Amino acid sequence: MPRLDVEKTLEDLTLGEKVALTAGIDFWHTAPIPRLNIPSLRMSDGPNGIRGTRFFNGVPAACVPCATALGATWDAALLHSIGRLIADEAIAKGAHIVLGPTINTQRSPLGGRGFESFAEDGVLSGTLAGHFCHGIQEKGVAATLKHFVCNDQEHQRTAVDSIVTGRALREIYLLPFQLALRICRTACVMTAYNKVNGVHVSEHEGFLIDILRSEWGWDGLVMSDWFGTYSTSDAIRAGLDLEMPGKTRWRGTALAHAVSANKVPEFVVDERVRNVLNLVNAVEPLGIPEKAAEKALNRPQDRALLRRAAAESVVLMKNEEKILPLSKEKSILVIGPNAKIAAYCGGGSASLDAYYTVSPWEGVSAQSKGAVSFSQGVYSFKDLPLLGPLLKTADGEKGFTFRVFNEPPSAADRELVDELHLVSSTGFLMDYVNPKIKSLTYYVDMEGFFTPDEDGVYDFGVTVVGTGQLFVDGELVVDNTTNQRHGSAFFGSATVEEKGAKQLKAGHTYRVLFQFGTAPTSDLDTRGVVVFGPGGFRFGASRRVAQEELISQAVSLAATASQVVLFAGLTDEWESEGYDREHMDLPPGSDELITRVLAVHPNAVVVIQSGTPVTMPWAPQTKALLQAWFGGNEGGNGIADVLYGEVNPSGKLPVTFPVRLQDNPSFLNFRCERGRVLYGEDVYVGYRYYEKTLLPPLFPFGHGLSYTSFARSDLTLTCCPEKPVYEESGEPITASVCVRNTGPVAGAETVQLWVVPPPTDVNRPVRELKGFTKVFLDAGEQKTVEIVVEKKLATSWWDEQREKWASEKGTYEVLVTGTGEETLRSSFDVQKTRYWVGL
Ligand code: BGC
């Protein structure tokens, strides 16, 4: 496509065409105007991989570690490389625009999407996001910062009003966006679903025009979150360029009517369309054709990068008596609910079908030279495990047949409109298209054959956005069609899992038939949540087993094992978009399993996989503890690399791990109540709160050990003289520090720079992170590293009365920390109090 002359094109477009350009045409594409050479652009999620245009039965993709995992690397260069990989993956899927990164803030460990954002701190989150976006955009693909702003919980996310002070908005919630944009002017920003202080963000001129465009000078495209546009005139006047997804609800004829009634002046529509056309020009050099086929890349060099990222994200929380690394020569007993499943990413729009995954069990087995044995200990599924992979089709293939009809099962002579072969018995049909389907109401029969290995009572479960009945050999075992109860799956739009049971015999083959009707066949009340398209289904099954039996088996094996590693944690069922966690604990049984295994084998290594903090009541009893997140395709290999010392751990926590949920500063204010949530902890989010109140967390922000030791010395600060006019890029302060690897093995160190403000009449955090850098050192090696911070960013707080940042006169202490207790100190002065706004 030739490059557009934007102003000329604006003159040539009819009003109808302009209106069409301000909304998507389907879930993932903008509108084309072929007459004027305006192509349709494709967008795709998102933060940890590029799913492509199909949630349901799509083309697999690379899955990078979740954002909290990447946050734990504190490695801007790595994030840049990951961004480049994401861009290549987007190009392979024919996508011009990546719907990520997510840079909201983990106010609470309970946030369902906490795993999607890098950190509780804006400097860490914004810096990593900036480098990630730089990697994406360097390859010509557009990045999208989301969700702007204060979408920090899932509960009633479209309806909730986040009540936040101006100061907390600036110092905590807007800061990651501001800092990311300083590093990389992203092509797009996505608005949050929620209101902030009474106004939905997609209708908030103060955010979309005054801050983003006037104050920060940003000139990209603002799109709504999916179904997060709630008005015609208000949203477009406030600066919302693009309503997503299509078909439009608020633009189209409604917008044309609003323009003709002069509720929306045409020049406002022109401003929005100009941003769409500029985006078309920005991504035009990619040369991606319209309706591009979606391909899988899966290159060896990408696998190596993913493995490096997975290993670099692992945080060594404890390592008493140098239990770790483990010996490859000795035998090892692997225990736990997360051992044989690959918890590779969280749930919701960040989730995707990965090219392949590596479970911790597979990672350990591939590296151990001794015998590897296994004991389940407990299961940690929330809903029953998927039945699909255990089924066979009538032809004997793994999986089941998926037959689509326009008519319900009761209709005679139904015409089959589609037949697919599936393995996964969960599907979200929002972007499933078939021209023969006549409306949003249609029906699917899923049929497969199940031959159990063991006799016993089997539980079956059905979760639907729609209606579903599960039959085993013709007997109705689960009925989820009437009296439906609202649950959390499928972005919070589904029923709870309804269950039934049946006694089955080993070796006998049973016909399983699941009959599904799409969302309109259900009368479930889904107020406050986003319902995407025609609905979704999930069916699972499991043999009923006594938990005590499994735990006892694991404990008795652990008692005599030479090395034990126990994998527990969460999965995409527990942490997902659409709902928040109800508590901070591990799934039922896990704490008991860990406690009892540690009692008989005190050297057992505990590995926790979760996107956000969990309670660890047994932590004092552990000698060796790793936090391993959702590690992407290569998660299991990355963990095994650290367990066996192939990689020296260098991860540092990007979020505080409190002892108890009650200790978290948002504890009293984390749900939508009567339409609002009060951000009552103000600027005291995460470490700012624990340090101010002297409340010790279980593991602090920035914590992480290594198999080697590091020493820091010779801190010097070089400050440029203050300038009379406060310039954007002015007044760098350069901290130079000598870092030495004083231990026996090579390793990477993260050096953190904090600033302590002088006493003032404003309540401020004890200290705040202002800069960091990561350096790799061979054993015995020493290097001098530099961290550059800008004086105005390092000193300012947001003055609500003036509506400006305030850099107050005084002496600011600089603290430099890293692995271990040692803190280097220095200081610099601000000669004169000054106020400023801008990026
Ligand atoms: C999410 C966005 C995502 C979009 C498209 C929404 O539910 O909030 O982050 O990009 O869906 O999948």
Side-chain angles (χ1 to χ4, degrees):
M1 285 281 177
R3 203 178 157 76
L4 302 172
D5 176 337
V6 170
E7 296 311 315
K8 168 87 176 50
T9 309
L10 270 174
E11 277 172 24
D12 294 346
L13 283 163
T14 64
L15 177 62
E17 288 168 336
K18 289 180 193 172
V19 165
L21 284 169
T22 66
I25 48 168
D26 61 16
F27 256 86
W28 310 115
H29 296 92
T30 62
I33 309 286
R35 158 182 105 75
L36 295 172
N37 289 325
I38 303 173
S40 168
L41 302 183
R42 180 177 290 173
M43 38 190 91
S44 179
D45 287 308
N48 48 230
I50 305 298
R51 192 179 51 244
T53 62
R54 297 206 311 266
F55 237 110
F56 175 64
N57 203 20
V59 179
C63 184
V64 310
C66 71
T68 40
L70 294 178
T73 69
W74 294 61
D75 190 340
L78 175 70
L79 268 283
H80 179 252
S81 307
I82 298 270
R84 290 175 65 85
L85 167 59
I86 290 282
D88 287 345
E89 286 278 316
I91 295 165
K93 295 283 185 298
H96 308 85
I97 303 154
V98 172
L99 301 174
T102 308
I103 44 172
N104 295 115
T105 302
Q106 293 93 349
R107 289 182 60 223
S108 163
L110 301 186
R113 293 182 94 168
F115 70 88
E116 261 190 62
S117 295
F118 297 105
E120 70 185 21
D121 176 80
V123 169
L124 180 55
S125 177
T127 306
L128 295 181
H131 288 278
F132 178 79
C133 293
H134 196 227
I136 295 175
Q137 297 211 157
E138 208 171 66
K139 293 217 163 195
V141 174
T144 307
L145 296 178
K146 69 184 187 182
H147 310 88
F148 187 71
V149 58
C150 290
N151 183 179
D152 309 304
Q153 70 175 39
E154 291 300 281
H155 186 232
Q156 298 191 6
R157 60 182 173 160
T158 57
V160 66
D161 185 6
S162 300
I163 310 275
V164 202
T165 64
R167 189 174 159 206
L169 260 173
R170 293 294 185 148
E171 294 181 30
I172 304 294
Y173 300 99
L174 287 169
L175 191 69
F177 291 90
Q178 180 179 350
L179 295 183
L181 287 179
R182 285 171 65 93
I183 297 167
C184 174
R185 301 247 160 183
T186 59
C188 305
V189 163
M190 185 192 292
T191 55
Y193 280 123
N194 47 284
K195 298 177 193 169
V196 175
N197 297 333
V199 182
H200 275 108
V201 181
S202 58
E203 301 173 355
H204 205 301
E205 192 175 327
F207 287 130
L208 305 187
I209 294 184
D210 299 348
I211 293 182
L212 261 182
R213 298 200 187 272
S214 307
E215 198 180 312
W216 292 352
W218 176 79
D219 61 0
L221 173 130
V222 178
M223 69 178 84
S224 71
D225 199 345
W226 269 228
F227 304 112
T229 308
Y230 311 107
S231 63
T232 299
S233 308
D234 289 355
I236 199 155
R237 279 207 313 256
L240 183 71
D241 297 315
L242 184 68
E243 174 196 354
M244 283 306 290
K247 300 198 163 80
T248 179
R249 292 179 177 187
W250 298 101
R251 297 190 169 180
T253 49
L255 178 55
H257 190 53
V259 174
S260 71
N262 208 16
K263 276 182 81 69
V264 179
E266 189 167 349
F267 75 84
V268 170
V269 179
D270 286 352
E271 281 170 21
R272 306 293 161 259
V273 172
R274 185 176 287 114
N275 294 329
V276 176
L277 299 179
N278 282 335
L279 179 62
V280 169
N281 275 344
V283 296
E284 177 269 330
L286 286 168
I288 295 174
E290 284 185 86
K291 303 199 174 92
E294 297 178 48
K295 293 191 223 99
L297 280 185
N298 200 3
R299 301 173 298 200
Q301 70 269 29
D302 300 339
R303 292 184 219 153
L305 177 66
L306 293 168
R307 183 168 182 158
R308 183 185 140 207
E312 232 193 277
S313 72
V314 174
V315 180
L316 180 61
M317 311 274 258
K318 286 181 79 174
N319 194 19
E320 288 169 14
E321 299 166 27
K322 296 206 165 80
I323 303 271
L324 286 168
L326 296 172
S327 158
K328 286 190 183 177
E329 316 300 325
K330 291 190 194 160
S331 64
I332 185 163
L333 170 65
V334 176
I335 304 178
N338 281 50
K340 285 203 173 179
I341 54 171
Y344 65 99
C345 73
S349 63
S351 67
L352 51 83
D353 192 7
Y355 293 135
Y356 64 95
T357 56
V358 181
S359 68
W361 157 261
E362 289 164 331
V364 168
S365 302
Q367 293 198 39
S368 173
K369 297 192 181 117
V372 187
S373 52
F374 173 72
S375 184
Q376 180 68 39
V378 288
Y379 286 100
S380 68
F381 46 77
K382 193 171 179 189
D383 286 345
L384 294 166
L386 294 177
L387 180 56
L390 305 179
L391 297 178
K392 291 250 162 63
T393 63
D395 304 338
E397 280 189 73
K398 180 173 170 176
F400 57 97
T401 27
F402 178 95
R403 296 194 184 94
V404 185
F405 305 88
N406 280 307
E407 302 81 18
S410 55
D413 302 326
R414 293 196 290 169
E415 190 202 343
L416 181 67
V417 297
D418 198 5
E419 179 166 319
L420 303 172
H421 169 216
L422 300 182
V423 174
S424 172
S425 53
T426 181
F428 197 29
L429 300 168
M430 69 180 196
D431 44 22
Y432 168 65
V433 274
N434 182 314
K436 290 192 195 151
I437 293 176
K438 293 184 189 145
S439 73
L440 273 186
T441 309
Y442 58 92
Y443 301 84
V444 188
D445 278 8
M446 297 171 228
E447 183 195 51
F449 296 88
F450 178 48
T451 312
D453 292 335
E454 293 173 271
D455 286 351
V457 173
Y458 282 72
D459 290 310
F460 292 85
V462 167
T463 311
V464 278
V465 184
T467 49
Q469 289 186 317
L470 189 129
F471 301 85
V472 178
D473 273 359
E475 177 188 329
L476 178 63
V477 178
V478 188
D479 184 7
N480 193 347
T481 55
T482 52
N483 301 323
Q484 291 183 309
R485 296 175 295 152
H486 193 184
S488 56
F490 296 114
F491 300 78
S493 59
T495 64
V496 296
E497 180 181 54
E498 296 295 350
K499 289 190 189 145
K502 187 170 165 62
Q503 177 83 36
L504 303 184
K505 286 201 92 40
H508 181 87
T509 297
Y510 297 86
R511 175 175 178 253
V512 175
L513 174 66
F514 175 54
Q515 293 192 312
F516 170 71
T518 53
T521 66
S522 155
D523 53 13
L524 186 72
D525 183 349
T526 49
R527 266 176 288 183
V529 298
V530 189
V531 180
F532 292 87
F537 63 89
R538 184 188 191 286
F539 59 98
S542 175
R543 191 175 72 89
R544 211 177 273 174
V545 276
Q547 188 166 290
E548 174 53 34
E549 200 184 303
L550 291 177
I551 295 183
S552 303
Q553 273 168 14
V555 170
S556 74
L557 289 170
T560 55
S562 103
Q563 301 186 109
V564 174
V565 57
L566 195 160
F567 295 98
L570 306 176
T571 61
D572 59 354
E573 284 190 286
W574 297 93
E575 285 187 77
S576 172
E577 178 178 344
Y579 51 93
D580 299 307
R581 273 194 290 157
E582 280 162 22
H583 53 71
M584 208 178 103
D585 300 340
L586 288 174
S590 292
D591 285 339
E592 184 185 342
L593 172 70
I594 298 170
T595 308
R596 285 172 59 184
V597 166
L598 285 170
V600 298
H601 195 115
N603 290 353
V605 179
V606 178
V607 182
I608 298 297
Q609 285 186 283
S610 63
T612 48
V614 296
T615 30
M616 301 181 176
W618 34 260
Q621 278 75 54
T622 54
K623 291 185 189 167
L625 173 62
L626 295 175
Q627 172 63 29
W629 322 105
F630 302 136
N633 297 61
E634 287 282 343
N637 282 333
I639 294 170
D641 286 343
V642 169
L643 285 172
Y644 284 121
E646 291 298 324
V647 171
N648 184 353
S650 63
K652 307 276 175 218
L653 290 180
V655 286
T656 309
F657 277 50
V659 177
R660 320 172 299 159
L661 180 62
Q662 289 85 337
D663 292 351
N664 177 264
S666 74
F667 178 68
L668 297 175
N669 298 295
F670 191 74
R671 269 179 74 78
C672 178
E673 289 175 5
R674 298 288 187 274
R676 58 83 152 162
V677 58
L678 179 67
Y679 281 34
E681 70 282 17
D682 203 27
V683 297
Y684 293 98
V685 173
Y687 72 83
R688 289 167 171 81
Y689 173 78
Y690 296 96
E691 294 190 351
K692 192 78 175 177
T693 55
L694 297 177
L695 179 65
L698 185 61
F699 296 104
F701 174 80
H703 172 74
L705 307 174
S706 167
Y707 296 156
T708 188
S709 50
F710 299 98
R712 294 170 284 285
S713 61
D714 305 312
L715 169 63
T716 55
L717 296 186
T718 318
C719 304
C720 283
E722 278 167 30
K723 298 183 178 170
V725 180
Y726 215 56
E727 285 174 12
E728 194 176 281
S729 58
E731 302 177 7
I733 300 170
T734 305
S736 122
V737 189
C738 175
V739 188
R740 192 153 47 91
N741 181 344
T742 50
V745 285
E749 168 69 319
T750 296
V751 184
Q752 298 151 344
L753 186 150
W754 309 76
V755 170
V756 182
T760 159
D761 57 351
V762 171
N763 200 330
R764 295 191 68 177
V766 176
R767 58 173 190 167
E768 288 180 289
L769 183 76
K770 296 295 174 182
F772 59 92
T773 190
K774 192 159 185 175
V775 56
F776 182 86
L777 296 166
D778 279 324
E781 193 185 2
Q782 121 176 359
K783 279 185 190 160
T784 297
V785 298
E786 285 189 347
I787 302 176
V788 183
V789 293
E790 247 184 57
K791 196 179 248 186
K792 69 175 181 182
L793 289 171
T795 54
S796 298
W797 58 279
W798 182 259
D799 183 335
E800 286 174 14
Q801 279 183 325
R802 291 177 193 258
E803 297 213 2
K804 285 193 170 136
W805 291 102
S807 170
E808 287 184 321
K809 179 179 169 180
T811 300
Y812 291 75
E813 198 180 4
V814 170
L815 311 179
V816 171
T817 61
T819 311
E821 300 299 309
E822 191 177 38
T823 301
L824 303 179
R825 289 165 194 275
S826 185
S827 65
F828 66 88
D829 290 332
V830 168
Q831 312 287 351
K832 186 171 176 302
T833 299
R834 290 174 300 179
Y835 302 95
W836 61 280
V837 285
L839 197 62

